[in-house]
């Protein structure tokens, strides 16, 4: 009897050990290569992303500011890795910004026309990549350094975290461990009359078009200044673009 009991306990312990090993294998830490390549694949794949010659999306934005709420229309036009134009237009607020490959700029009805430098310029230029990881293992595109950080909880979901550094500016990229899609990108900067802040750009409501997953909603949070919730209803790929849009007015 006692021998039988010992055998059963040993068998049960073996089963538990197998289960623990299986579970451990399921949560095995991933490498930087795995996180980046899986995210690119989930977004449609590097080949599909790099096949895009122009990208346009348009919709409406909802801006929350200390002075009240603003609502209007927004448009973004990108020539991947080369140029970008962005527009916010409402009855109370108008702002355009762009990068022509050499000069980054912004014009609005409050501060006028200014050339952008530092984090604001790099942040604008970074959007031309279409995906935060497209520059990985492509130093000829943009010289970016990538580092895998500890996983983090974001809105109750586990995320892989990757730091992408370019021109002394670091972007922290959060990748959903289930969908492998990018949920959020953060960067630190210092704003006049506000001080050091962490700017957060969140992406939601991904939709497939031409084999690529595009976020149909983005929320840009600039502490102390504004939160801009953009909801896109139109996406156009590989269409003719008026390149005068990218030039500083």
């Amino acid at each position: 009897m006692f021998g039988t009991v010992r055998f059963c306990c040993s068998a049960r312990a073996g089963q538990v050990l197998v289960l623990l090993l299986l579970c451990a294998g399921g949560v095995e830490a991933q490498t930087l290569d795995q996180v980046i390549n899986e995210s690119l694949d989930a977004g449609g794949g590097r080949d599909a992303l790099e096949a895009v010659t122009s990208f346009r999306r348009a919709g409406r934005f909802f801006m929350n500011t200390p002075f009240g709420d603003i609502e209007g229309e927004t448009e973004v036009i990108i020539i991947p890795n080369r140029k970008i134009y962005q527009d916010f237009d409402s009855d109370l607020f108008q702002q355009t910004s762009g990068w022509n490959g050499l000069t980054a700029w912004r014009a609005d009805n409050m501060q006028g026309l200014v050339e952008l430098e530092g984090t604001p310029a790099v942040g604008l230029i970074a959007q031309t990549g279409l995906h935060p990881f497209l520059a990985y293992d492509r130093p000829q595109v943009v010289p970016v350094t990538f580092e895998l950080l500890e996983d983090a909880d974001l809105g109750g979901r586990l995320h892989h975290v990757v730091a992408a550094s370019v021109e002394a500016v670091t972007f922290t990229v959060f990748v959903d461990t289930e969908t492998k899609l990018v949920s959020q990108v953060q960067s630190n900067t210092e704003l006049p009359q506000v001080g050091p802040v962490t700017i957060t750009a969140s992406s939601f409501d991904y939709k497939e078009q031409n084999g690529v997953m595009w976020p149909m909603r983005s929320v840009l949070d600039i502490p102390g200044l504004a939160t801009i919730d953009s909801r896109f209803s139109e996406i156009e790929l590989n269409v003719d673009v008026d390149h005068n849009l990218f030039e500083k007015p």
Side-chain angles (χ1 to χ4, degrees):
M1 178 183 294
F2 292 110
T4 304
V5 171
R6 284 196 297 271
F7 174 78
C8 290
C9 289
S10 176
R12 185 179 298 276
Q15 291 173 348
V16 171
L17 179 60
V18 170
L19 288 173
L20 288 173
L21 290 173
L22 288 173
C23 290
V27 295
E28 181 181 357
Q30 292 195 296
T31 67
L32 178 64
D33 277 346
Q34 289 173 320
V35 171
I36 286 181
N37 289 325
E38 286 180 359
S39 183
L40 285 171
D41 288 343
R46 184 185 288 275
D47 290 344
L49 284 160
E50 291 181 341
V52 177
T53 58
S54 70
F55 170 80
R56 174 186 176 271
R57 63 180 178 180
R60 296 193 64 80
F61 75 92
F62 305 86
M63 182 186 298
N64 177 267
T65 77
F67 312 103
D69 296 339
I70 301 172
E71 179 179 346
E73 298 179 348
T74 184
E75 179 183 39
V76 180
I77 299 174
I78 294 173
I79 306 298
N81 302 314
R82 293 174 52 203
K83 301 179 181 182
I84 184 172
Y85 169 83
Q86 190 169 45
D87 174 56
F88 294 97
D89 188 16
S90 73
D91 292 338
L92 298 176
F93 175 76
Q94 296 85 40
Q95 182 185 88
T96 57
S97 55
W99 178 59
N100 62 5
L102 296 173
T103 303
W105 55 270
R106 180 178 63 231
D108 60 44
N109 58 340
M110 296 181 182
Q111 297 181 330
L113 176 63
V114 296
E115 286 195 10
L116 300 178
E117 298 179 343
T119 301
V122 174
L124 185 66
I125 295 168
Q127 295 181 56
T128 67
L130 298 185
H131 191 289
F133 298 150
L134 269 179
Y136 182 67
D137 201 28
R138 296 288 193 278
Q140 71 276 16
V141 178
V142 181
V144 185
T145 301
F146 294 91
E147 180 185 2
L148 184 63
L149 307 180
E150 291 186 7
D151 289 354
D153 180 275
L154 195 67
R157 295 178 67 89
L158 187 64
H159 283 71
H160 298 307
V161 186
V162 177
S165 302
V166 54
E167 294 187 13
V169 178
T170 297
F171 299 92
T172 305
V173 184
F174 295 81
V175 179
D176 190 300
T177 58
E178 292 186 23
T179 67
K180 312 301 182 183
L181 298 172
V182 174
S183 297
Q184 193 174 97
V185 178
Q186 294 181 345
S187 61
N188 296 321
T189 189
E190 187 161 341
L191 299 176
Q193 301 178 346
V194 176
V197 298
T198 297
I199 297 177
T200 302
S202 303
S203 298
F204 306 92
D205 303 337
Y206 276 85
K207 177 182 177 181
E208 184 273 332
Q209 182 162 331
N210 284 32
V212 177
M213 300 295 289
W214 307 103
M216 301 302 291
R217 180 187 177 197
S218 66
V219 177
L220 180 66
D221 180 44
I222 310 173
L225 287 183
T227 298
I228 307 173
D229 186 344
S230 299
R231 307 184 184 196
F232 303 100
S233 55
E234 301 176 46
I235 287 184
E236 293 182 302
L237 304 176
N238 305 332
V239 296
D240 292 334
V241 174
D242 179 4
H243 284 251
N244 290 322
L245 288 171
F246 309 110
E247 300 300 327
K248 186 175 72 172

